[in-house]
Amino acid sequence: MDEKNNWKIRHYLKPGDIGYLTYIHGIYYAKEYGYDQTFEAYVAEGLAKFVQFYNSNSDKIWIMEEENQIIGSIAIVGHSKLEAQLRWFFVHPNYQGLGLGKYLLNETIQFCKKQEFKVIFLWTTSELKTAIHLYLKFGFVKTEENSHKIWGKTVIEERYDLSLWNSLEYILRGARNIFLIVYYLKYIT
């Protein structure tokens, strides 16, 4: 990120943030992709649940501001000890192409590694080519695709996953599991 900017990041929501994040998502996605008001309701519902069930051990939000105006956001919602969902990734159009998206995405990945999540997943639509390109650049892999009518139109929703498993750790876990199975079969049955 450019050091000459006045961008600040905070990790908490202030009164009005849920409404504003819902608003900017609703306006942007209606204008760019033709989504209707049901998309805005979807965003509002998710943000409300995030606040109601917030767990500082597994959830975190990044609100990027310039002069007290929100210019970007991203969040991690823990779903289990192993899996977290990336949500509400948004960079205001006036700030796109400046590296904010890369910075925010990297911050979420570092948080998930620190919290020892093994998988980060997200849902997006096939229309969001720039975001998808960024996800792929960071190592996310498309794992699911569904076409259906939602948000006032037919969209192709795509799930992307990023594995944070350490290869050696994964191999050792597998070896341990095999050992336990063999031990069980040989000595317990």
Side-chain angles (χ1 to χ4, degrees), residues 52-67:
Q52 291 169 333
F53 302 106
Y54 181 79
N55 178 342
S56 63
N57 294 319
S58 60
D59 305 331
K60 191 167 185 174
I61 192 160
W62 289 256
I63 302 289
M64 185 169 273
E65 295 179 310
E66 183 176 62
E67 298 177 8

Side-chain angles (χ1 to χ4, degrees), residues 13-81:
L13 291 167
K14 297 190 298 192
D17 283 348
I18 292 173
Y20 187 72
L21 288 172
T22 299
Y23 170 80
I24 60 175
H25 275 79
I27 295 294
Y28 179 77
Y29 285 92
K31 180 181 176 190
E32 295 297 319
Y33 303 105
Y35 294 2
D36 68 10
Q37 71 281 1
T38 61
F39 176 73
E40 201 170 344
Y42 166 76
V43 172
E45 178 184 22
L47 283 165
K49 285 181 180 176
F50 180 76
V51 171
Q52 291 169 333
F53 302 106
Y54 181 79
N55 178 342
S56 63
N57 294 319
S58 60
D59 305 331
K60 191 167 185 174
I61 192 160
W62 289 256
I63 302 289
M64 185 169 273
E65 295 179 310
E66 183 176 62
E67 298 177 8
N68 294 319
Q69 283 294 111
I70 295 175
I71 60 170
S73 66
I74 197 167
I76 289 293
V77 180
H79 282 264
S80 70
K81 288 186 176 188

Side-chain angles (χ1 to χ4, degrees), residues 86-152:
L86 187 146
R87 300 205 65 190
W88 310 299
F89 185 24
F90 181 82
V91 175
H92 190 283
N94 295 346
Y95 295 87
Q96 292 176 0
L98 301 176
L100 275 69
K102 290 178 193 168
Y103 176 81
L104 290 170
L105 193 52
N106 185 59
E107 287 288 302
T108 61
I109 293 169
Q110 296 312 309
F111 171 76
C112 287
K113 286 179 178 179
K114 183 178 175 191
Q115 300 310 109
E116 299 183 352
F117 288 115
K118 301 305 178 194
V119 175
I120 305 169
F121 75 92
L122 64 94
W123 284 95
T124 189
T125 62
S126 61
E127 300 166 298
L128 278 69
K129 303 291 187 207
T130 303
I132 291 169
H133 176 76
L134 188 58
Y135 300 141
L136 294 172
K137 191 173 180 178
F138 272 81
F140 283 84
V141 177
K142 182 165 57 169
T143 57
E144 198 173 329
E145 182 177 290
N146 300 303
S147 177
H148 53 133
K149 188 164 174 67
I150 190 170
W151 308 320

Side-chain angles (χ1 to χ4, degrees), residues 164-178:
L164 301 177
W165 282 98
N166 173 316
S167 305
L168 180 59
E169 177 187 0
Y170 185 71
I171 291 167
L172 292 174
R173 276 183 197 255
R176 180 179 173 272
N177 290 341
I178 291 170

